[in-house]
Amino acid sequence: MNARPTRIGLLGGTFDPIHVGHVALARAAQAAYGFDEIRFLPTAISWQKGETSTDSQHRLEMVRRAIAGHRGFVLDDREVRRGGNTYTVDTLSELRNELGRDAVLVLLLGSDQLRNLATWRRYQELLTLAHIAVTRREQISLARLPESVESLVAEHGRDTLPEAPSGAIVFFGMPFVPVSATRLREQLLAGERPAAVLPAGILNYIDHHQLYRPARGQP
Ligand code: ATP
């Protein structure tokens, strides 16, 4: 009897900080595709967003705490250990080498990231290494995609996730969770306490380590 190949969801991000939108995305993907594992992969330096002002060890620790107790959710710190600019194609190559050619790898993206995809380094190679599963994020539409992304979807779009290890673009639904890390950082800097959009324990962690506070000498 052939065992089903391992199915792994991959959620990359700056997680500065992790919020309930990230967790909701992972839960919706888990429900849609029955992953054996979902790996959270915090970036070292996001070449698109630049260096975060938050130390990567804090971003890692917040992810670790936020996913503790979620069955199958795992922190993978390889991008921070690798250091420098993070390119997803490098991460997927490493994972493919480690997990073998049969593993079903699925890169999870919000619609903002799909719209951006053609700006990613060697983006055409991503689908030789993994599938891509996309969900709509708040008001960020999946219609009228940039032309190069549209043609990728025309070629690789499928209704369901195939058994193959890589190569398809699929779409899944999730309830809208109107939160972004950018907005959260602004609220924290302004002294607000957005506890409802942070996973349990994260606001305490932020307070304890005095993260997202104005730099000394600034108003
Ligand atoms: P920032 O505001 O700093 O750009 P962010 O909130 O977009 O951060 P990231 O860590 O960059 O968070 O996002 C990681 C992944 O999670 C991306 O694929 C992004 O589309 C997705 N994501 C983030 N927030 C949400 C949300 N509220 N709903 C659905 N997906 C989300």
Side-chain angles (χ1 to χ4, degrees):
M1 195 179 77
N2 286 337
R4 189 186 81 144
T6 317
R7 255 186 200 206
I8 299 185
L10 305 166
L11 180 57
T14 43
F15 301 111
D16 187 22
I18 187 165
H19 54 63
V20 294
H22 299 128
V23 178
L25 183 154
R27 291 172 72 115
Q30 176 69 288
Y33 305 118
F35 291 118
D36 299 298
E37 187 178 291
I38 295 190
R39 294 196 188 199
F40 286 66
L41 291 141
T43 54
I45 300 173
S46 161
W47 63 276
Q48 290 217 325
K49 297 184 184 179
E51 197 153 5
T52 63
S53 55
T54 317
D55 189 279
S56 47
Q57 293 309 319
H58 285 312
R59 293 186 293 113
L60 286 174
E61 187 54 33
M62 288 189 280
V63 172
R64 185 176 290 118
R65 289 173 185 228
I67 65 178
H70 286 273
R71 204 173 164 161
F73 289 7
V74 175
L75 172 64
D76 185 329
D77 67 355
R78 72 181 58 234
E79 294 182 344
V80 169
R81 280 190 280 109
R82 198 164 69 225
N85 283 342
T86 295
Y87 297 107
T88 300
V89 68
D90 298 337
T91 303
L92 293 182
S93 302
E94 279 181 24
L95 287 166
R96 179 56 72 198
N97 285 337
E98 283 169 32
L99 298 166
R101 62 177 188 191
D102 294 336
V104 178
L105 302 183
V106 184
L107 183 63
L108 306 173
L109 297 182
S111 46
D112 54 320
Q113 295 300 333
L114 179 71
R115 298 192 75 82
N116 253 342
L117 198 67
T119 67
W120 290 23
R121 185 186 224 197
R122 290 162 39 208
Y123 76 96
Q124 295 95 336
E125 281 177 49
L126 299 172
L127 285 161
T128 66
L129 296 163
H131 300 292
I132 296 180
V134 185
T135 191
R136 185 163 160 212
R137 179 175 177 183
E138 304 153 70
Q139 290 83 19
I140 301 169
S141 165
L142 284 165
R144 289 193 293 280
L145 295 168
E147 209 177 302
S148 35
V149 178
E150 193 69 68
S151 51
L152 214 57
V153 172
E155 188 180 345
H156 295 273
R158 301 285 180 273
D159 291 336
T160 54
L161 187 70
E163 284 294 321
S166 61
I169 300 178
V170 289
F171 295 87
F172 64 101
M174 68 175 273
F176 287 171
V177 183
V179 52
S180 79
T182 305
R183 173 86 189 106
L184 249 172
R185 290 192 299 275
E186 287 166 2
Q187 291 175 300
L188 290 162
L189 263 170
E192 293 171 34
R193 303 188 56 73
V197 291
L198 287 164
I202 302 305
L203 191 55
N204 280 346
Y205 184 91
I206 288 171
D207 285 345
H208 184 73
H209 294 278
Q210 306 193 359
L211 306 179
Y212 312 108
R213 299 262 176 99
R216 276 171 207 273
Q218 283 182 17

